[in-house]
Amino acid sequence: MKTQSNEFKKRVVYQIYSSSFYDSNNDGWGDLKGITAKLDYLKDLGIGIIWLSPVFVSPMDDMGYDIADYKNINPRFGTMEDFDELLEEANKRDIKIVMDLVINHTSTEHEWFKKAIEPEENKYRDYYFIKEGKGKKHNKMPNNWQSCFTGPAWKKIDSLPGYYYMHLFCDTQADLNYYNEEVIKEVEDILRFWLDKGVYGFRCDVINKIRKSSLKDDHTRPLYFKGLKYYSNQDNMFKILTRFRTEVLDDYDTFLVGETGELNKEVGNRFLNERCLDMFFEFDHTNADKTFLPVFKGKFKTKKLVKPIFKWQKIVPWIALYLENHDQLRSVNRYGNVDKYYKESAKLLALFLLTLKGTPFIYQGEEIGMLNYEQVKYEDCKDVAAIYTTETVQKLLRFNRDRAFKIVNETINRDHARVPFAWSNSVNGGFNAGHETWLKVNDLYKKINVKDEENDSNSILNFYKKMIRFRNNDDVLKFGDFKDEYVKKNIVSYYRNYEGKIYLIVLNFSDKKAKYCNLLNVKTLISNYENEIDFNDLPPYFAGIFEVI
Ligand code: GLC
């Protein structure tokens, strides 16, 4: 067993959305050489680990989360040599690389799937859930499960009349069958392949759904969650993940972060105690600006964001911290203020993210306060989930397409955070030299971009740099215990405590002045306002770290 450095507990992670980071060859797509070219930017930001969204061979129906070959690079992103160069250059700068591991499903263009649906039966048939339809004519779906992107989870197979395959996501993402020992072995082989190359670990996509316990109909859930209880967090899923650890991962200094859902205290702790994952992403806090159905926007409430985060701080010893990723809308639009207090609120969110206990994940563009892509039209939308959901909303509410898309666009259209990264105010925001981009650029690049942020000492980017450096060198923020004080309306406060040193963090999530009552003797360490502040009169969107003396 290899000694574990647990470096993931000391570093800040940066998620690169590979298609949209930097296009070095001006073909409209971000690429590996583009990432290598920007490593110094990440180093300067203080980043210690990169999570690379999928760069494997893929038809890109779900932007690479539909893998057709796990051991080769999608030519859109470059070659394996480009990948090796990225790894080497990152290594030189002491930046580790984490890959996206998408093993709940493969693309239907994967060789396994193509063989699986050949009329002549072969071993690959059992790699997937390929089932005969119900009814005399086998023309009814094998069960009533729904895809997470809405719509049925089964699709007819033309080459096998009467048969269907299961897809929990879009219909070109076929679910793998983890009852099959060979599938598990294939995954172990993929893990070794990338670990032997020198990658540090994996972000495990929808990992809590890999094992289906039964294929029964589910009549107990609302339409869009049918099946959930039969495929989320099943006993055998934990066993498979523990096996990956003991059979493969223990031979390397590595780590796994999981995208998990349907969590509770027991499930969360099982992931860690059974060594399935080193940490996971919880989703409770992402409902802070939604109604009971995630597709409908609700009013943002500070407590709906902060309380779930506090809850998880107390439930598990370590967690993945995030406010944004490639599936979420931009955080300043959601939890901050895009008008008068844009800068202050973006900095507040930075300070919040970087003062909690766990590993912070920053999503590309978050560090310069990138905002949603407001000018988007249905015709330009590339997000497969948004397209599926628009159709469903149209059908269910009898809305026309544009009206349905408007609803979807306000809450779940993932294109908002996927537009090309804004490096400067030149053509296409400096993402490339002017070639049409795979997804339209957000015109806001003229106002919000890296170059301008670098030149402004008071910018959001410079605040992120300051915060990350502070955290990288500070044991209280990295390792200290967490203790919440309160969430009163929009005032949030908590403590971090390490070996007798205590920090108090105070945040004002509102555009109004507010009072924070605490008579402690404190010294300001960092805040998003330059002047000394009065606790009885906290300015709008104030955020600060104080040392208790
Ligand atoms: C995860 C990914 C998301 C993808 C889905 C299916 O949720 O983050 O982008 O669409 O899995 O792979």
Side-chain angles (χ1 to χ4, degrees):
M1 187 163 153
K2 180 106 179 172
T3 317
Q4 300 294 309
S5 65
N6 288 343
E7 278 295 317
F8 61 84
K9 293 197 170 176
K10 303 173 199 150
R11 298 177 179 229
V12 174
V13 185
Y14 187 89
Q15 182 190 355
I16 290 186
Y17 196 64
S18 316
S19 305
S20 292
F21 192 56
Y22 184 57
D23 174 13
S24 73
N25 61 353
N26 195 31
D27 67 352
W29 290 83
D31 46 52
L32 291 167
K33 277 197 180 301
I35 300 170
T36 307
K38 296 293 185 185
L39 283 173
D40 287 335
Y41 167 76
L42 298 177
K43 185 71 195 166
D44 187 42
L45 186 57
I47 296 308
I49 299 175
I50 291 171
W51 152 22
L52 204 58
S53 283
V55 289
F56 315 97
V57 174
S58 158
M60 304 294 273
D61 291 339
D62 188 18
M63 293 308 295
Y65 288 88
D66 46 329
I67 298 177
D69 179 351
Y70 287 90
K71 293 187 187 164
N72 274 303
I73 300 292
N74 185 339
R76 271 188 189 157
F77 297 121
T79 61
M80 194 56 97
E81 286 70 46
D82 297 340
F83 180 83
D84 292 339
E85 188 193 7
L86 168 63
L87 209 55
E88 201 185 311
E89 289 300 317
N91 231 335
K92 281 188 197 155
R93 293 164 178 82
D94 190 28
I95 295 177
K96 295 178 182 293
I97 306 266
V98 165
M99 306 295 277
D100 226 307
L101 185 74
V102 189
I103 54 163
N104 175 66
H105 42 262
T106 72
S107 161
T108 49
E109 288 191 17
H110 197 291
E111 279 308 309
W112 301 337
F113 189 80
K114 287 191 194 157
K115 289 192 184 129
I117 60 165
E118 279 173 4
E120 198 160 312
E121 181 134 17
N122 59 62
K123 73 165 189 173
Y124 294 100
R125 183 82 57 92
D126 195 41
Y127 271 40
Y128 298 89
F129 292 97
I130 294 184
K131 300 279 169 213
E132 206 162 30
K134 283 195 208 161
K136 271 197 194 129
K137 294 187 181 150
H138 307 296
N139 57 359
K140 288 193 191 128
M141 302 195 184
N143 68 24
N144 68 352
W145 295 6
Q146 296 279 312
S147 134
C148 300
F149 291 165
T150 75
W154 294 90
K155 187 163 178 188
K156 272 192 184 152
I157 305 174
D158 291 341
S159 54
L160 294 175
Y163 282 81
Y164 293 74
Y165 67 91
M166 189 185 33
H167 60 92
L168 287 186
F169 292 88
C170 84
D171 64 7
T172 55
Q173 290 168 301
D175 279 55
L176 284 167
N177 172 14
Y178 281 86
Y179 285 84
N180 185 339
E181 173 68 21
E182 286 198 48
V183 169
I184 299 178
K185 286 205 174 123
E186 297 272 15
V187 174
E188 288 174 346
D189 186 47
I190 294 164
L191 290 170
R192 281 197 190 281
F193 176 84
W194 291 101
L195 289 167
D196 285 340
K197 268 194 167 292
V199 311
Y200 179 47
F202 301 91
R203 174 265 184 190
C204 310
D205 191 66
V206 292
I207 201 68
N208 71 323
K209 297 189 173 41
I210 61 170
R211 172 74 181 217
K212 285 76 184 167
S213 76
S214 104
L215 294 185
K216 283 191 212 152
D217 278 344
D218 185 342
H219 296 289
T220 62
R221 306 253 162 182
L223 192 60
Y224 295 110
F225 301 105
K226 279 191 170 162
L228 213 52
K229 72 172 180 189
Y230 293 127
Y231 58 68
S232 281
N233 304 323
Q234 303 298 321
D235 251 352
N236 273 296
M237 180 268 309
F238 292 102
K239 288 198 184 114
I240 294 165
L241 292 181
T242 308
R243 169 171 161 180
F244 290 158
R245 180 76 67 175
T246 50
E247 290 293 309
V248 182
L249 299 165
D250 275 345
D251 293 344
Y252 304 82
D253 176 21
T254 180
F255 97 108
L256 289 189
V257 49
E259 185 195 23
T260 50
E262 299 78 52
L263 291 175
N264 57 33
K265 185 174 175 178
E266 187 210 324
V267 170
N269 277 303
R270 276 193 80 178
F271 273 116
L272 304 191
N273 295 341
E274 296 177 28
R275 302 177 67 236
C276 303
L277 300 171
D278 297 289
M279 65 183 105
F280 52 80
F281 297 104
E282 56 81 20
F283 284 86
D284 299 341
H285 73 276
T286 65
N287 291 321
D289 58 347
K290 294 186 176 164
T291 56
F292 71 103
L293 274 182
V295 73
F296 293 114
K297 198 169 161 62
K299 192 173 172 337
F300 167 68
K301 290 210 174 86
T302 304
K303 69 170 191 306
K304 275 174 73 186
L305 174 72
V306 177
K307 286 211 164 160
I309 291 179
F310 278 8
K311 178 184 86 187
W312 283 105
Q313 289 280 297
K314 293 183 272 181
I315 289 181
V316 283
W318 202 261
I319 194 151
L321 307 164
Y322 73 103
L323 295 173
E324 286 189 16
N325 62 38
H326 64 295
D327 294 332
Q328 303 287 324
L329 272 63
R330 290 291 184 181
S331 57
V332 184
N333 292 88
R334 300 180 69 184
Y335 319 130
N337 180 305
V338 288
D339 304 317
K340 204 166 161 201
Y341 299 105
Y342 161 64
K343 257 193 187 181
E344 290 78 1
S345 65
K347 291 180 186 176
L348 171 144
L349 293 173
L351 192 139
F352 184 37
L353 179 74
L354 290 157
T355 51
L356 291 161
K357 191 178 71 170
T359 301
F361 284 68
I362 294 172
Y363 176 67
Q364 69 180 46
E366 190 173 354
E367 79 278 19
I368 57 168
M370 277 181 81
L371 298 177
N372 284 344
Y373 169 46
E374 302 294 358
Q375 81 266 28
V376 71
K377 294 197 292 286
Y378 179 84
E379 292 74 17
D380 297 329
C381 180
K382 294 280 192 295
D383 173 18
V384 65
I387 293 170
Y388 264 72
T389 314
T390 301
E391 258 173 48
T392 306
V393 171
Q394 257 181 282
K395 269 190 217 144
L396 285 183
L397 302 181
R398 307 230 177 111
F399 283 178
N400 67 29
R401 198 195 59 198
D402 290 345
R403 193 165 170 211
F405 180 66
K406 191 166 177 286
I407 292 176
V408 169
N409 191 44
E410 272 182 2
T411 47
I412 59 163
N413 180 8
R414 302 180 298 177
D415 284 349
H416 285 293
R418 295 178 176 188
V419 294
F421 190 60
W423 291 100
S424 70
N425 62 9
S426 59
V427 62
N428 287 343
F431 167 69
N432 65 11
H435 190 287
E436 191 184 344
T437 51
W438 73 273
L439 172 67
K440 285 201 169 155
V441 294
N442 185 339
D443 289 343
L444 279 174
Y445 74 77
K446 289 167 195 149
K447 286 197 211 136
I448 303 171
N449 62 67
V450 171
K451 199 155 169 225
D452 290 348
E453 289 281 299
E454 278 176 340
N455 293 335
D456 168 7
S457 61
N458 193 26
S459 68
I460 297 169
L461 177 62
N462 280 317
F463 189 75
Y464 266 91
K465 280 190 196 168
K466 185 161 137 189
M467 275 302 307
I468 297 171
R469 284 205 193 116
F470 185 83
R471 183 177 174 114
N472 284 347
N473 295 311
D474 188 89
D475 287 348
V476 182
L477 289 189
K478 276 187 293 193
F479 311 120
D481 292 336
F482 168 91
K483 189 175 171 304
D484 56 332
E485 190 183 38
Y486 64 62
V487 187
K488 269 191 200 151
K489 279 207 164 161
N490 293 312
I491 298 290
V492 173
S493 65
Y494 48 99
Y495 294 100
R496 300 294 309 278
N497 171 350
Y498 186 70
E499 295 186 341
K501 207 169 172 186
I502 303 174
Y503 292 172
L504 167 69
I505 290 98
V506 180
L507 313 167
N508 175 10
F509 271 87
S510 96
D511 58 359
K512 309 264 173 330
K513 287 187 172 178
K515 192 171 170 172
Y516 165 76
C517 292
N518 194 321
L519 299 174
L520 290 175
N521 217 353
V522 296
K523 177 176 102 191
T524 310
L525 295 178
I526 293 192
S527 97
N528 60 350
Y529 276 80
E530 275 174 14
N531 304 334
E532 265 307 299
I533 60 109
D534 173 1
F535 271 173
N536 282 311
D537 204 11
L538 288 181
Y541 289 100
F542 171 82
I545 314 177
F546 304 92
E547 185 172 349
V548 179
I549 41 181

